[in-house]
Amino acid sequence: MGRQNPLVGKHTYRLTLVDNETHEPIRSVRFGRAQGIYWIITAVLALLIIAYLLFAFTPLRTIIPGYPNAHSKKEAVANAIKIDSLENAVIRWNVYAEHLSRVLTGESSVDFDSLVRAGSARYLSDKDAAELARQDSVLRETVLKEEQFGVSARSERELPIEGMHFFTPIKGVVSAGFERAVHPYIEIAAPTGTVVSAVLDGTVVFTAWDAEQGYILIIQHHNDLLSVYTNNQKLLRSAGDEVKAGTPIALVGGTSRSEGAEHLHFELWQDGESLDPTRYISF
């Protein structure tokens, strides 16, 4: 029988640490192939576990692409709140649209609970196009008959003067107050060239020039209201012009000979009776 090689199947490896100066061995480890594979696998698993712990329980996890951080979470909460607010706004607009549709078609008021549960509103009338066109024509004819100088006639839907919002004709100090018997107007001190604005929506019904009062402008408003602006050096609107509240209509001109200071002469009338403007307008 032949002799077996004692080294076959018994390959071993040695890992030695050597002093660089003296070349003397400091530490030496012997291991076989199976032991080497075992230690390599153990080291890889240990590195993977350490990496997992670092990224799972430390702030390093925020560097992972797509991982939510504190800022993104805050934005997500804010977006959720905005979406909820938009949903509420849509519901309110649905309620408004449904009410408007019923009013225009002469139907009864909508049931709020049923509308919210349904989550949708009806925007179109059930009536045919011919009937809607006829009703629209009747409404237009009625409005045109009621209009005079572009201002609708008095109706029950108009607000009382206390509930109307007046635009300030000019910012300044009231230099002369209202007195119904002897001084049925106010005077507002302002530099020459200051812009005068309309106090309400309306139509210019009168413009003129007077040697004592300068340029005069009168506007007709709803509720039989008249506003009068005098002591102007220039007018920016003509008779027949429709104006909105806050629209520039004139420039203060200082033509009055009775007062030393420049001022706007302002009057407010309703149904032929003078009103104190300071009760309704903040100057």
Side-chain angles (χ1 to χ4, degrees), residues 124-139:
L124 300 178
S125 172
D126 297 331
K127 299 180 180 180
D128 57 21
E131 177 64 17
L132 292 176
R134 187 191 67 81
Q135 292 181 354
D136 181 70
S137 299
V138 173
L139 178 61

Side-chain angles (χ1 to χ4, degrees), residues 96-139:
Y96 171 78
E98 180 67 13
H99 269 289
L100 181 61
S101 176
R102 288 178 178 266
V103 169
L104 293 176
T105 56
E107 300 179 11
S108 60
S109 179
V110 67
D111 181 5
F112 283 93
D113 294 334
S114 62
L115 180 62
V116 173
R117 287 194 299 268
S120 62
R122 177 175 56 81
Y123 296 97
L124 300 178
S125 172
D126 297 331
K127 299 180 180 180
D128 57 21
E131 177 64 17
L132 292 176
R134 187 191 67 81
Q135 292 181 354
D136 181 70
S137 299
V138 173
L139 178 61

Side-chain angles (χ1 to χ4, degrees), residues 34-272:
Q35 289 178 326
I37 295 174
Y38 169 78
W39 287 112
I40 291 173
I41 294 174
T42 301
V44 171
L45 290 176
L47 290 175
L48 292 176
I49 292 173
I50 293 173
Y52 170 77
L53 293 177
L54 287 175
F55 285 100
F57 300 102
T58 67
L60 288 176
R61 62 179 178 270
T62 58
I63 67 175
I64 300 176
Y67 190 90
N69 53 24
H71 179 69
S72 60
K73 290 181 179 178
K74 184 178 179 180
E75 286 186 345
V77 172
N79 290 334
I81 295 174
K82 290 181 180 179
I83 291 173
D84 185 65
S85 300
L86 290 174
E87 289 179 349
N88 292 333
V90 170
I91 292 175
R92 289 195 298 270
W93 276 107
N94 285 341
V95 173
Y96 171 78
E98 180 67 13
H99 269 289
L100 181 61
S101 176
R102 288 178 178 266
V103 169
L104 293 176
T105 56
E107 300 179 11
S108 60
S109 179
V110 67
D111 181 5
F112 283 93
D113 294 334
S114 62
L115 180 62
V116 173
R117 287 194 299 268
S120 62
R122 177 175 56 81
Y123 296 97
L124 300 178
S125 172
D126 297 331
K127 299 180 180 180
D128 57 21
E131 177 64 17
L132 292 176
R134 187 191 67 81
Q135 292 181 354
D136 181 70
S137 299
V138 173
L139 178 61
R140 289 176 181 271
E141 183 179 357
T142 302
V143 171
L144 289 175
K145 288 181 179 179
E146 293 179 351
E147 289 289 333
Q148 182 178 10
F149 293 112
V151 180
S152 298
R154 176 185 292 265
S155 67
E156 294 180 356
R157 294 174 297 178
E158 292 180 339
L159 292 174
I161 188 171
E162 291 79 8
M164 302 174 70
H165 177 71
F166 288 83
F167 195 92
T168 306
I170 191 171
K171 280 294 184 182
V173 178
V174 177
S175 57
F178 178 86
E179 177 59 43
R180 189 181 304 276
V182 297
H183 200 268
Y185 53 86
I186 64 172
E187 294 175 356
I188 311 163
T192 299
T194 303
V195 176
V196 181
S197 303
V199 295
L200 290 170
D201 295 353
T203 302
V204 179
V205 294
F206 180 80
T207 58
W209 160 262
D210 182 80
E212 293 291 335
Q213 302 182 39
Y215 282 102
I216 304 170
L217 184 143
I218 302 177
I219 301 178
Q220 172 76 54
H221 310 285
H222 291 279
N223 286 11
D224 290 336
L225 276 170
L226 284 173
S227 58
V228 182
Y229 315 77
T230 69
N231 200 38
N232 301 300
Q233 69 170 349
K234 182 179 182 180
L235 298 182
L236 304 179
R237 293 292 183 269
S238 303
D241 289 348
E242 295 185 359
V243 295
K244 296 291 185 181
T247 301
I249 57 175
L251 301 178
V252 172
T255 57
S256 176
R257 301 175 182 175
S258 60
E259 297 288 344
E262 307 296 349
H263 66 276
L264 171 70
H265 176 114
F266 179 69
E267 303 176 27
L268 194 62
W269 296 78
Q270 185 178 39
D271 295 328

